[in-house]
Amino acid sequence: MKRLEGVGLGWRRQLAHFIDTWEGLGFVEVLAEQLDDRGALPEPLVQLKERGVPVVVHGVSLGLGGAEPPSPARLSRLARLAERLGAVCVSEHLAFVRAGGLESGHLLPVARHEESLEVLADNIRRAEAALPVPLALENVASLFEWPGPSFSEAGLLTGVLERTGAGVLLDVANLYANALNLGTDARAVLAAVPRERLFYVHVAGGVRHGGLYHDTHAHALPEGPLALLEELTAWVGPVPALLERDDRFPPVEELAGELEAIRVAMARGAARREAA
């Protein structure tokens, strides 16, 4: 797999001009569900591909954590988009999204039990076999946990890596949310990811509401996710990191400032690693 590098930005139509002109662009991530896998691709994306900008196809609806195997049609769609965009990899979530034809409408956590882990791992292996590029798996933010977990979030991640060949998309914003809302041991999760399996990192903003932290992708980037990114970089070295912004798009100066904050956090982590 071609390795991602630097600081990236989630491609959205509202950000297409900024992305096209931003000199610090390392890579982009496109949402699979917002593209036509058979029709014409957005021209700005075609131009990015022609420029050689690395692209990741990111899915939100595969449902790897469900009891049913992933839909062959959904997998074929992801595969077509990956091929058409020349994607470096496809990323999806360690999440439960549907059962019996009913959609949850959310990326819900996977129950942390051995039985669930075995089903999850089997679904991941099916997805890996169907895709033309490597698969990276993302940890999700949650406002609840299923009762009686047998192991921690770090244990779930370790179990998945032991049972599959997939990589990791580590979302430090989701990890920050879970640490605040559920008491997740964030450092244990960071330590559970070998550098060779870490494809890239998500960073995003959120907001506190009703005593909980919500990972919204629509608010300013707080210090918490940046601190985790610095910690991760100090632990494993430089990593590709991408800013997600899905709504309430800020002025160009604010967006550029958040991207610079990501770069600075990684530089601080790299300096700590070198000093150690």
Side-chain angles (χ1 to χ4, degrees):
M1 183 190 99
K2 179 181 178 181
R3 295 195 66 156
L4 300 169
E5 294 181 345
V7 178
L9 182 59
W11 192 90
R12 308 292 183 267
R13 294 178 189 274
Q14 298 89 332
L15 300 176
H17 179 69
F18 176 85
I19 289 173
D20 189 50
T21 57
W22 177 41
E23 294 183 357
L25 182 65
F27 61 105
V28 296
E29 176 193 82
V30 296
L31 289 172
E33 286 74 9
Q34 292 185 355
L35 296 178
D36 184 342
D37 60 312
R38 296 185 184 275
L41 295 170
E43 186 59 29
L45 274 180
V46 175
Q47 293 175 1
L48 286 175
K49 177 186 175 183
E50 291 174 350
R51 284 168 47 193
V53 175
V55 175
V56 175
V57 173
H58 186 57
V60 298
S61 60
L62 195 54
L64 293 169
E68 302 166 357
S71 160
R74 293 179 188 273
L75 286 171
S76 294
R77 188 174 187 280
L78 287 172
R80 279 193 297 272
L81 284 172
E83 290 175 341
R84 294 186 66 195
L85 288 164
V88 172
C89 65
V90 168
S91 56
E92 249 290 357
H93 298 80
L94 292 168
F96 171 83
V97 299
R98 72 180 59 83
L102 298 176
E103 299 285 336
S104 70
H106 296 277
L107 294 167
L108 301 177
V110 177
R112 297 200 301 271
H113 304 124
E114 288 296 334
E115 296 86 352
S116 299
L117 177 56
E118 290 300 330
V119 173
L120 174 64
D122 183 62
N123 287 344
I124 292 168
R125 290 190 292 266
R126 290 171 184 261
E128 287 183 284
L131 294 172
V133 294
L135 174 65
L137 303 168
E138 178 182 356
N139 56 302
V140 300
S142 179
L143 300 177
F144 74 96
E145 289 186 305
W146 299 108
S150 301
F151 38 80
S152 66
E153 186 170 341
L156 175 68
L157 198 53
T158 298
V160 165
L161 293 178
E162 288 175 347
R163 290 165 173 78
T164 73
V168 176
L169 159 53
L170 185 61
D171 192 315
V172 293
N174 289 349
L175 185 54
Y176 175 68
N178 289 349
L180 290 179
N181 297 335
L182 306 174
T184 298
D185 186 342
R187 289 195 171 194
V189 176
L190 296 182
V193 185
R195 178 62 185 92
E196 64 272 14
R197 304 288 287 274
L198 179 60
F199 286 11
Y200 67 113
V201 177
H202 269 175
V203 189
V207 64
R208 286 183 179 272
H209 179 71
L212 294 170
Y213 181 83
H214 297 263
D215 173 57
T216 63
H217 301 181
H219 292 82
L221 181 60
E223 282 299 318
L226 291 171
L228 288 175
L229 178 61
E230 177 182 337
E231 194 72 24
L232 176 65
T233 308
W235 182 265
V236 301
V239 296
L242 180 134
L243 176 66
E244 291 185 289
R245 190 80 184 213
D246 294 330
D247 202 358
R248 299 176 59 177
F249 298 98
V252 169
E253 296 78 13
E254 184 178 333
L255 186 64
E258 292 193 346
L259 292 163
E260 176 63 13
I262 291 173
R263 188 196 66 77
V264 169
M266 290 195 292
R268 286 198 303 260
R272 285 171 51 189
R273 179 177 172 83
E274 185 175 344

